[in-house]
Amino acid sequence: QARQRLKEVVLHARDADGEMAGVCTAVAVTLPRLRQPMYYYRNFIAEVARGQQLAPQFLEQSKQALQAYNLGLSKPLCLGIIIELENKGLAAHRNEAQWKEGFTFIGYSPKGLTLRVWYFEGVRLFAPARLKKPAQAAGRQRAPARA
């Protein structure tokens, strides 16, 4: 899993001693709710670096880096960035529907966590992704009841 995550790194930061202070990653996903490809954004801040406002800096720099990368492609890969707020304190504190950083509340994940999106400038919707059919339960199919 670590090797896969290395391919997803957008930014990282080291402290004065060269130790890892934080990292953020993004991977293209298509959530059934949106049916559009988005970069699923994650970040981790080492405990010793927390409280230094590294996360907001990561988020802003990642927005710019991913937008520049995506819009530089011959065909954009994603519409923007989606974040799932795992930090319950942050979700409770930052409960505005629209953040000043441009992220908009769109609902809750299956885990019950807040979902927010930010769209790249000038992107247009792709054709909606096809939804996967739910797997049928194993066993016999019952015949429909007769009236």
Side-chain angles (χ1 to χ4, degrees):
Q1 192 176 28
R3 284 192 183 176
Q4 181 59 36
R5 287 279 170 95
L6 276 175
K7 297 176 189 175
E8 301 168 2
V9 171
V10 177
L11 297 169
H12 72 278
R14 295 187 180 275
D15 65 17
D17 297 326
E19 297 296 319
M20 189 64 67
V23 64
C24 59
T25 62
V27 62
V29 299
T30 301
L31 299 179
R33 170 185 298 267
L34 294 179
R35 296 177 63 187
Q36 296 288 309
M38 301 288 288
Y39 288 111
Y40 182 83
Y41 175 85
R42 296 177 295 258
N43 77 26
F44 172 78
I45 308 299
E47 196 168 329
V48 296
R50 293 179 187 163
Q52 299 177 22
Q53 296 302 306
L54 192 55
Q57 292 176 50
F58 266 177
L59 189 58
E60 188 57 36
Q61 291 179 23
S62 294
K63 282 172 44 179
Q64 302 312 316
L66 288 168
Q67 177 168 264
Y69 170 75
N70 194 69
L71 297 180
L73 298 172
S74 60
K75 179 182 175 203
L77 182 62
C78 292
L79 293 182
I81 299 170
I82 188 163
I83 56 176
E84 182 178 29
L85 289 178
E86 292 185 12
N87 183 321
K88 293 184 188 324
L90 179 61
H93 175 69
R94 296 293 312 271
N95 61 358
E96 311 93 326
Q98 177 79 35
W99 284 358
K100 66 181 179 196
E101 298 88 354
F103 282 86
T104 303
F105 171 79
I106 62 164
Y108 298 94
S109 72
K111 296 186 243 177
L113 302 173
T114 303
L115 290 174
R116 293 184 172 272
V117 297
W118 179 75
Y119 296 103
F120 299 137
E121 293 177 21
V123 295
R124 298 191 178 273
L125 297 175
F126 300 104
R130 296 183 67 171
L131 294 176
K132 294 179 183 176
K133 292 183 182 180
Q136 289 187 342
R140 290 187 321 134
Q141 294 281 337
R142 272 199 310 195
R146 295 184 188 235

